Amino acid sequence: GTGSNILSALQDLFWLLKSKVEKQLQIISVLQWVLTFLIMGIACTLILMYILCTDCWAIAALYLAWLVFDWNTPKKGGRRSQWVRNWAIWRYFRDYFPIRLVKTHNLLTTRNYIFGYHPHGIMGLGAFCNFSTEATGVSQKFPGIRPYLATLAGNFRMPILRDYLMSGGICPVNRDSIDYILSKNGSGNAIIIVVGGAAESLNCTPGKNSVTLKNRKGFVKLALRHGADLVPVYSFGENEVYKQVIFEEGSWGRWVQKKFQKHIGFAPCIFHGRGLFSSNTWGLLPYSKPITTVVGEPITIPKIDNPSQQDVDFYHSMYVDSLIKLFDKYKSRFGLPETEVLEVN
């Protein structure tokens, strides 16, 4: 009896220690990604400049020569690595929140797609985990479909960061890159565009479900030009993981944010999450709130080389209606009341 009790106690201790180690690994995995998002580009640029001024300058010079040679690779679909996409660190990243991907319809490998991802949130955590890694099994759920998460083109001008992003299947959100993937890369491609962009990030806050979409029609025009089906995607919980200071329209803070958005492409946000060692303190780590990304039903889009504004408006209206229906169908399953309404701005 005594031996059995000791064995039981040791097993309980083992599982307790394992649980604590896993939690710490989850925190580390999320922290490295947040730091990558915020400072990796600038840090790598400064380090490269420093190395050029040392005895190891030849290493930096060789990399810069490679950078010039490889400059246009991001515009041609990038250079994804299944090894990087399957890193164990992304599974810890997934489990921290946790993040889940929900499939509602099959996607044909004979078609190309543009996924509209909503909402942006502060960092687009769900978009990254679901489509730039294999942590939630996107390749198993949509076999034969190659996802490309589109992000700011400026990120691909940053040394090292550009290669890191490309390894996950991330591409620039510009016309050259999207045209290449949808016209010269065969079929079975899915470009994920966070439609609301920086403007939407300025309004994201816990408890609010709103999207910036009314005047965002460029992605619809691209879909028509290439005959790529549109797929609405809504990520429940994306706005819950950070708290943000919201500046009112007309305030000096909103003026500064809009100037940055116009001239640089992103809007600086004043936000916070939890601390590194305690969830009761402020810090850069997101709160561990569940994020559930639901991929909706594809909208069949015809190929029109020069779509008229009437064509664009028609399919944009279809897309908005489809997104609202998707939200309404799944909102109660993921913790929202039936009375919750998706605000479309």
Side-chain angles (χ1 to χ4, degrees), residues 2-251:
T2 303
S4 178
N5 290 336
I6 293 174
L7 181 60
S8 178
L10 288 174
Q11 287 177 333
D12 290 342
L13 179 62
F14 171 77
W15 288 113
L16 180 63
L17 290 174
K18 183 181 178 182
S19 177
K20 286 186 176 181
V21 169
E22 286 185 347
K23 187 61 180 177
Q24 293 305 313
L25 289 173
Q26 290 169 12
I27 290 173
I28 291 169
S29 69
V30 175
L31 178 63
Q32 68 83 27
W33 190 86
V34 170
L35 294 177
T36 295
F37 182 91
L38 294 175
I39 66 171
M40 183 177 179
I42 295 173
C44 288
T45 301
L46 294 174
I47 291 171
L48 196 66
M49 292 172 63
Y50 171 76
I51 293 174
L52 279 171
C53 301
T54 68
D55 293 339
C56 298
W57 64 269
I59 296 174
L62 283 172
Y63 178 79
L64 289 174
W66 160 252
L67 191 63
V68 172
F69 174 78
D70 195 55
W71 190 253
N72 289 322
T73 298
K75 298 178 182 178
K76 297 180 179 180
R79 188 170 45 245
R80 74 174 56 218
S81 166
Q82 285 303 116
W83 175 65
V84 173
R85 287 174 61 88
N86 281 287
W87 277 353
I89 195 172
W90 306 132
R91 294 192 289 276
Y92 289 112
F93 182 97
R94 172 199 67 198
D95 293 339
Y96 172 85
F97 297 92
I99 296 174
R100 189 158 65 102
L101 180 66
V102 176
K103 170 187 174 181
T104 63
H105 291 78
N106 292 324
L107 299 181
L108 299 175
T109 58
T110 54
R111 300 285 292 174
N112 283 325
Y113 301 90
I114 293 180
F115 288 17
Y117 184 92
H118 313 269
H120 184 286
I122 295 292
M123 297 185 184
L125 294 158
F128 172 79
C129 184
N130 285 307
F131 301 112
S132 294
T133 80
E134 294 296 331
T136 56
V138 64
S139 293
Q140 286 73 44
K141 291 178 180 177
F142 300 102
I145 302 297
R146 293 181 297 276
Y148 294 86
L149 178 60
T151 188
L152 290 175
N155 289 324
F156 296 89
R157 301 187 188 104
M158 301 284 190
I160 310 300
L161 175 63
R162 66 189 294 276
D163 301 287
Y164 189 40
L165 294 178
M166 284 194 291
S167 67
I170 301 177
C171 69
V173 62
N174 58 31
R175 182 169 172 175
D176 289 343
S177 178
I178 294 172
D179 282 347
Y180 183 92
I181 293 170
L182 295 180
S183 63
K184 299 179 180 178
N185 202 41
S187 60
N189 302 292
I191 297 179
I192 297 88
I193 299 176
V194 186
V195 178
E200 192 172 84
S201 69
L202 297 179
N203 296 313
C204 68
T205 187
K208 186 173 183 179
N209 288 283
S210 66
V211 296
T212 302
L213 183 56
K214 280 184 179 178
N215 297 316
R216 299 294 175 106
K217 300 181 180 181
F219 73 106
V220 178
K221 190 172 184 178
L222 280 170
L224 286 164
R225 289 180 63 246
H226 294 284
D229 294 348
L230 289 171
V231 182
V233 179
Y234 197 85
S235 219
F236 294 90
E238 184 72 63
N239 285 346
E240 308 299 317
V241 296
Y242 279 110
K243 295 179 181 178
Q244 179 183 189
V245 177
I246 304 292
F247 293 101
E248 297 295 329
E249 289 292 339
S251 66

Side-chain angles (χ1 to χ4, degrees), residues 207-209 234 236-237 240 327 330-341:
K208 186 173 183 179
N209 288 283
Y234 197 85
F236 294 90
E240 308 299 317
F327 177 84
Y330 288 93
K331 61 186 178 184
S332 61
R333 300 188 195 183
F334 303 119
L336 297 179
E338 281 291 345
T339 55
E340 184 73 18
V341 176

